[in-house]
């Protein structure tokens, strides 16, 4: 407890990994160019999803503003896992590094996990089972519990030494969460962007077909986190629309152990979000870890951590 | 991304465009660089959600100014704002090679914006240049008076030549360097007109999510395949780099 | 065509029913008290969903504001179909009346349709297969294509003389749309609110668990309309986040034949939305009906109308 | 719902509360009625998304005023606004029965708002009344000076009696009519204190989506079971109707 002390205790533990703050940059929303600004803000680093081989991504336009949000269709542009690992050191801010992976097949996921298994810089692996923009990827074969279970099981055995986090989309999230847990996931990231479409009425054409993110989806993400954390025993990482400190609190109250900040980092300094969250905790004389599930007294067990 | 809350020191209407001036003494600004900006109000208001990219129109070491055209809700709100939120200067601007010789500055519509501060820099470096501007109509062309001696064209023929900026000159052959900003289709045409021999630099206009390289949203296709982010690798590119 | 004429042609045809404008009030968002304001705005009337017997609805709080939207948990409060029909005349503004029905079982739906079959005041029936707030209702047994098909088939035979519109939720919308069409639905309303949750961080309690509506969900609804209208032949009615005239155009371009205005009517005068839409058409020298699917040249066939 | 764009004629701070006055000569206003209001800006801005309900604080046939406390983003924006959007008067106000005798007006916090115009009406009808007000602290209690002779209590004891409005009187037995507005828990307590004999009317505070009966969001439980909409059946209810 930190009642009365001057700075609240922001530390949380995620799958056995100690985090100095519960904030994590959402995959694909923090580039190396922007790292300078985030010293001390995040509890762990989480670069953009990497794939077995390089992806050029989708043609522009790739982003469109929507009410309280944006739709993106990046298409997992990335240099491929080998170059990714060559450059990984730039993401070393002295905090744990989580690596997000995605592929088109179970073998892709398994292969990526094997590749990461031996790399000591990687504290945990996040499986992007949900990118709505790669039609032949995530969604296509990760839509249901069966495929989720298959992919997670393959990754589980491929990277026995590190926690794996399954990142799920909103559609069918509770069943998929149970399947991922059953297959050995140590944690779940809930949720990814929601499939959406924007249209340019003046030009009468589709502008961007992709995934919706930002505050617009916060109530949907909160419900997913609340329901999932009530249905599984592993820790849940909240993602979706966090834009201020109160949002972080809401996700943790709903049952999240840590919270990802994505789109908001484009429009605000994430440090302000941490400061606001800190003020919230101070106000209530609470430590960050005490918030998780406080809403209903449920706290996900922190077992399953394979921390190094 | 960090945003600075700055007071609007001056608001001036130049025909269809609005000029906003604010104090900026936190580091240098390169011609062609831009800021992400929006009317102040975060976090109380989330509308519009994203900030908008704007080139620096002018900068005197003390105050910077933006010149913009009201198009949608973001610029509509910006136009009313007495306080705005801006980022530090972003992206890579125009590279100037002093000894090349005469330069041509080509602007299309609001693409004129970065040419003002670019011209100042060229003057300072003693580089001779000519300015060619194209606009939709007289209302947009008003800003041309800020560019003494500029050749002007309007689509409706109300001012100068009738046509686009490309109709304001016979050839670009005599220019060692070509600097241009405007809608992407115009830039593609400028690239063609400039040919291979000159140093041709284009400031591209892509939709941006973040402005600092994080979202991969603002990409342009490059020669040799693939895409690069115009907010960090650009917005100014050497014409030959672009796969247009 | 209306090029050059002063007021664009706003008329559309929905399942054989001529509508003077493509706007329809979304069920549950326009009460009789507010009818005075909407003369001439809507092409059809659509009162709140009625059920076999009266429902008291959920305890307050029932509504919560969210970024560019709101979450509601009304719980289908309504007096039951008999009293509903006694009072139906107040909704007669001289335009077609569509009636929305919901029940907990296939028999409920069938029974309601039978009850309406003989009532000449009812031009069409909208099946609310998707209310996220009645846990024992809509969602529970209408979650998948099988149950959608069952309910629609039952209603189809119960009300042979009128068009039936199946109102679908976003989750699994394309499969459910195909199932509804196969079972004889004459049209589809896409989408209902999206399951969501709001939390009061200060009080540390759940505020409202219900459905998200408003501009926040527009990009999700647009994608659903676009995908569904590409997958079925029956007309689609767009619903979700329409707040201005451009939004109406976007839904029609995406493939909608008519568009519902819900939450927006709480925060704006729907007449302004129609005026803006009208200006948009005038600008492009178009008639409303020409917009449908214009984006990609696809126009849902208008067959299946059982218009009286 | 139709919103009217009105200029803020006067903005005044009464301690922690803000008073906004605007022209309203479009029909009468009953004490206890309310408006849905927000800072102007639609449809350009969608934030906050919903309008907020506010009781009429005062009305002179020419101008109406609202008195509000800044709590969240909606009131924060309203507090800064020079133009606001308001609906016509909504809901059912306090029913006044002139011949009953002495009335008690009880306000809790910002619940004081509708009591000003109610008092004016009672004065006009020659109905005698006493005012009892409870506040959190001195900053909120400042508005009490607008109610000459009011009994005041503050939770922190900084002004008047230490406690709630219920601590400002011994009994309500001598009052033929009780009119009250404040947080729902307070209203429940007032209902108890008023007992069965007097005509007790309570202005309830529920979250509203629309304000005109369309959303069924603002309901209160009523005796005999079920819920009714406080925006059309209320916000003022006879105490005995409420299942509290
Ligand atoms: C590097 C760069 C520099 C620019 N410099 C200027 C300038 O100096 N003056 C000026 O007036 N304009 C400039 N623009 C264009 C300017 O960013 C857009 O006009 C502006 O974003 C439109 O916003 P809005 O709110 O008016 O329109 P909306 O339609 O409301 O915008 C919706 C979304 O689309 C984006 N968007 C819409 N049109 C454009 C566009 N043409 N280019 C990029 N994004 C767009 C917006 O940023 C926003 O995210 C520049 C663009 C870029 C990329
Ligand atoms: C009939 C009626 C009359 C009222 N009269 C007054 C008045 O005269 N002066 C005044 O200061 N307040 C009044 N209130 C309360 C006022 O509506 C809320 O304080 C205000 O809505 C809070 O909005 P916000 O943006 O500050 O808070 P936020 O937390 O940003 O509001 C978020 C959402 O919750 C709703 N909400 C939050 N708190 C309340 C509340 N206590 N009651 C109802 N809705 C709430 C808001 O309307 C909004 O939809 C009245 C409420 C009702 C129902
Ligand atoms: C521009 C952009 C790129 C993204 N790229 C990825 C990605 O590569 N891998 C991934 O798992 N999620 C990706 N996401 C999803 C985010 O990680 C996050 O889950 C989602 O945006 C919701 O959170 P937010 O509302 O805070 O942004 C991306 C989101 C955005 C906006
Ligand atoms: C307060 C409220 C009540 C609603 N009640 C119903 C209902 O009774 N039946 C129904 O089919 N949909 C109901 N809906 C859903 C709307 O009809 C509409 O499909 C949804 O709100 C999305 O559209 P919108 O964003 O324009 O509101 C309700 C929505 C709201 C906000
Ligand atoms: S705008 Fe985000 S990477 Fe360029
Ligand atoms: S607020 Fe919508 S019914 Fe009362």
């Amino acid at each position: 407890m930190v009642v009365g002390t001057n700075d609240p205790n922001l530390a949380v533990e995620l799958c056995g990994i100690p985090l100095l703050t519960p904030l994590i940059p959402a995959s694909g929303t923090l580039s190396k160019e922007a790292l300078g600004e985030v010293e001390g803000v995040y509890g762990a680093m989480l670069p953009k999803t990497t794939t077995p081989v390089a992806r050029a991504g989708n043609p522009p336009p790739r982003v469109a503003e929507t009410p309280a949000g944006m739709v993106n269709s990046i298409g997992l542009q990335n240099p491929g896992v080998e170059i990714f690992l060559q450059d990984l050191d730039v993401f070393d801010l002295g905090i744990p590094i989580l690596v997000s992976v995605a592929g088109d097949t179970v073998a892709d996921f398994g292969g990526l996990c094997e590749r990461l298994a031996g790399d000591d810089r990687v504290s945990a692996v996040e499986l992007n089972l949900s990118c709505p923009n790669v039609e032949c990827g995530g969604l296509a074969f990760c839509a249901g519990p069966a495929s989720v279970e298959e992919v997670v099981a393959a990754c589980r055995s491929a990277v026995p030494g590190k926690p794996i986090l399954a990142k799920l989309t909103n559609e069918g999230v509770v069943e998929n969460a149970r399947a991922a847990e059953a297959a050995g996931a140590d944690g779940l990231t809930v949720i990814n962007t929601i499939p959406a479409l924007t249209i340019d009425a003046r030009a009468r054409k589709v502008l961007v077909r992709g995934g919706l993110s930002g505050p617009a989806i916060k109530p949907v993400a909160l419900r997913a986190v609340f329901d999932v954390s009530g249905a599984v025993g592993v820790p849940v990482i909240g993602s979706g629309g966090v834009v201020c400190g109160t949002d972080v609190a809401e996700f943790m109250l709903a049952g999240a152990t840590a919270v990802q900040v994505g789109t908001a980092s484009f429009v605000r300094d994430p440090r302000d979000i941490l400061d606001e969250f800190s003020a919230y905790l101070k106000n209530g004389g609470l430590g960050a870890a005490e918030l998780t599930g406080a809403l209903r007294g449920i706290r996900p067990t922190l077992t399953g951590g394979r921390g190094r | 991304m960090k945003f600075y809350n700055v007071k609007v020191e001056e608001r001036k209407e130049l025909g269809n465009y609005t000029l906003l001036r604010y104090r900026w003494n936190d580091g240098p600004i390169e011609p062609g660089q831009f800021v992400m900006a929006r009317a102040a109000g975060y976090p109380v208001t989330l509308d519009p959600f994203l900030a908008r990219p704007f080139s620096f129109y002018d900068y005197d070491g003390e105050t910077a100014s933006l010149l913009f055209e009201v198009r949608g809700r973001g610029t509509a709100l910006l136009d009313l704002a007495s306080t705005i939120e801006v980022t530090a200067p972003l992206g890579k601007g125009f590279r100037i090679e002093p000894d090349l010789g005469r330069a041509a500055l080509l602007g299309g519509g609001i693409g004129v914006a970065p040419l003002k501060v670019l011209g100042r820099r060229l003057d300072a470096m003693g580089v001779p240049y000519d300015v060619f501007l194209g606009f939709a109509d007289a209302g947009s062309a008003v800003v041309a008076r800020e560019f003494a001696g500029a050749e002007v064209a309007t689509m409706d023929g109300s001012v100068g030549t009738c046509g686009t900026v490309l109709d304001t000159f016979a050839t670009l052959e005599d220019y060692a360097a070509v600097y241009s900003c405007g809608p992407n289709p115009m830039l593609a045409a400028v690239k063609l007109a400039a040919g291979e021999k000159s140093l041709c630099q284009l400031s591209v206009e892509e939709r941006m999510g973040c402005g600092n390289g994080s979202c991969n949203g603002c990409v342009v296709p490059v020669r040799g395949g693939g895409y690069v982010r115009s907010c960090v690798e650009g917005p100014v590119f050497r014409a030959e780099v672009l796969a247009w």
Side-chain angles (χ1 to χ4, degrees), chain A residues 126-281:
Chain A
E126 182 176 78
L127 311 177
N128 177 2
L129 303 179
S130 48
C131 182
N133 305 336
V134 189
E135 296 296 350
C136 64
L139 265 193
F141 80 98
C142 281
S147 39
V148 166
E149 188 155 359
E150 194 184 358
V151 175
V152 173
C155 296
R156 171 73 292 157
S157 49
V159 55
K162 304 180 195 291
I164 55 179
L165 312 165
K167 184 172 182 179
L168 306 170
T169 187
N170 184 59
E171 190 143 340
V173 70
V174 172
E175 305 72 51
N176 290 336
R178 288 209 183 87
E181 181 182 38
D186 302 290
L188 304 167
T189 301
V190 174
I191 59 176
N192 205 317
T193 55
I194 299 176
L197 178 80
T198 60
I199 287 175
D200 181 336
R202 203 180 319 165
R204 286 188 222 127
K205 59 179 180 53
V206 168
L207 193 53
V208 178
R209 179 185 176 89
L212 178 62
S213 66
I217 70 169
K218 190 187 73 171
V220 178
L222 273 177
R223 175 149 171 174
V225 167
F226 184 84
D227 291 355
V228 167
S229 60
V232 301
V234 295
V236 173
I237 302 170
S239 172
V242 170
V243 76
C244 64
T246 318
D247 295 335
V248 176
E250 290 175 8
F251 272 94
M252 294 186 75
L253 287 165
T257 297
V259 176
Q260 297 185 352
V261 177
T263 308
S265 64
F266 305 161
V267 297
R268 290 194 73 198
D269 182 347
R271 189 178 309 277
D272 295 339
I273 298 175
L274 184 66
D275 292 345
E276 290 158 359
F277 177 61
S278 203
Y280 171 89
L281 290 175

